[in-house]
Amino acid sequence: MQLHMVQWDIVWESPERNRNTIDSLLANDDICPGDLVVLPETCLTGFTHNRDFAAEATQADREYFAAVAARLGVTLVSGIIENGQNIALVHGPAGNQLARYVKQRPFVHGGEVWRAGDEPVVFDWNGIRVSPFICYDLRFPELFRTAAARWQPELMLVIASWPVARIHHWTRLLTARAIENQCFVAGINRTGTDPGYSFPGASVCVDWNGDALAESGSELGVTTAALDIDGLNAYRTALPFLKGI
C-alpha cells in the first residue's frame, strides 16, 4: 500500500499557481493507480483568514481535485477553505467525493476565523480505514481517540501548515498519536513562507511503534511510504490495547 505525501511552498492566495504546482508534482512515475496521495492544509490558498476564499462558489476547486483523482486513479486528500470552514476533502479514483472533514480545533492563537467542526470522519482506501485531521487538531489527543473508539482506523492523516518554530512538537505529537492509537500516522506539512510564518516541510509517516517509515526534508516534492498492514494487524492482535476504549 503506497502513501504519497506532497509538500511545497504554497503560494499565498493564488489557487491557479498552486494548481499548476500540484499538477507538476503529481506527474511522478512513483504514483500509481490505487495509491493514496495527500496534500497539505489549505493547499490552494495558504493559511489565509481572507473570507473571500470561503464563498459558496467553490465548485471549481472540488471539480479540480475530483479530476486529478480520476486522471491518476488515486484516492486524493486535499485541504481547502469552504463556506467558512477549514476542510479536508477526499476524492476516490473515480473522482467521487468519499469524505469531507471539518477541522475541529481552529488555531485561535493565529487568528483563524473559520468555524469548527464537531465530528471525526473515516473513509475506505483499498479496505483500509483512514481518518483525516487538520493541523492544530494534533494537539488534542481526544479527537484521535474518538476516531479510534469508533472505527479503529489503520491510518490517521494530519494535513498541516505547521510552523518551523514548533516543529519539534510536530514530530513528537505525531509519534504519540501513532503509539497510543496503534496505527500509522502521516503528517503532511508545507514548506516555505507566508505573511505570518515559515514552514519547514518535515512531512513524515510513523508506524504503530513510533518508528518513522518515510521522512521529507525541507524541499518541495513527493515522499512515499509503504504501509505494512499485515504487520499492524499482527501487532494489534498480540497487544489488543484498543479493546474497550
Side-chain angles (χ1 to χ4, degrees):
M1 309 297 294
Q2 295 279 96
L3 161 69
H4 305 283
M5 303 176 289
V6 188
Q7 64 177 37
W8 73 97
D9 184 356
I10 297 171
V11 182
W12 186 250
E13 297 184 352
S14 183
E16 182 178 359
R17 292 177 66 186
N18 288 309
R19 284 192 289 267
N20 290 339
T21 299
I22 292 168
D23 290 340
S24 176
L25 288 172
L26 296 189
N28 185 315
D29 290 341
D30 292 335
I31 297 175
C32 300
D35 289 352
L36 177 62
V37 177
V38 190
L39 310 177
E41 177 187 23
T42 57
C43 63
L44 293 180
T45 61
F47 190 61
T48 179
H49 303 150
N50 185 346
R51 288 191 178 275
D52 289 345
F53 290 104
E56 295 285 343
T58 54
Q59 187 61 29
D61 296 340
R62 288 174 172 269
E63 290 176 354
Y64 167 72
F65 289 120
V68 170
R71 183 178 76 246
L72 298 175
V74 300
T75 298
L76 178 69
V77 181
S78 57
I80 68 169
I81 296 165
E82 177 182 73
N83 298 335
Q85 295 177 308
N86 190 333
I87 304 292
L89 281 180
V90 185
H91 288 93
N96 54 314
Q97 184 175 305
L98 299 179
R100 178 183 184 273
Y101 170 74
V102 182
K103 188 177 184 178
Q104 294 180 77
R105 295 292 187 272
F107 185 52
V108 294
H109 307 287
E112 188 169 1
V113 297
W114 314 118
R115 291 183 288 111
D118 57 10
E119 292 286 339
V121 302
V122 71
F123 66 90
D124 178 84
W125 168 48
N126 296 334
I128 295 173
R129 293 158 294 191
V130 184
S131 282
F133 296 90
I134 302 176
C135 205
Y136 193 48
D137 287 340
L138 182 58
R139 292 188 177 276
F140 300 88
E142 65 273 15
L143 305 183
F144 295 75
R145 204 61 166 173
T146 296
R150 292 184 185 180
W151 306 298
Q152 296 190 10
E154 289 86 1
L155 173 62
M156 293 179 175
L157 303 172
V158 182
I159 64 173
S161 297
W162 198 281
V164 66
R166 293 180 290 279
I167 196 60
H168 58 297
H169 297 184
W170 165 253
T171 52
R172 287 162 175 79
L173 290 170
L174 289 168
T175 301
R177 299 296 87 83
I179 292 171
E180 68 197 8
N181 294 300
Q182 290 188 299
C183 65
F184 296 97
V185 173
I188 297 82
N189 197 27
R190 62 159 294 178
T191 67
T193 61
D194 67 19
Y197 299 95
S198 294
F199 306 94
S203 299
V204 61
C205 182
V206 181
D207 73 8
W208 62 87
N209 198 45
D211 296 323
L213 300 178
E215 299 177 89
S216 304
S218 60
E219 303 300 319
L220 87 168
V222 179
T223 300
T224 299
L227 306 186
D228 178 8
I229 300 301
D230 289 340
L232 171 61
N233 290 335
Y235 183 81
R236 285 181 168 183
T237 298
L239 296 170
F241 298 147
L242 297 180
K243 284 190 175 180
I245 63 172

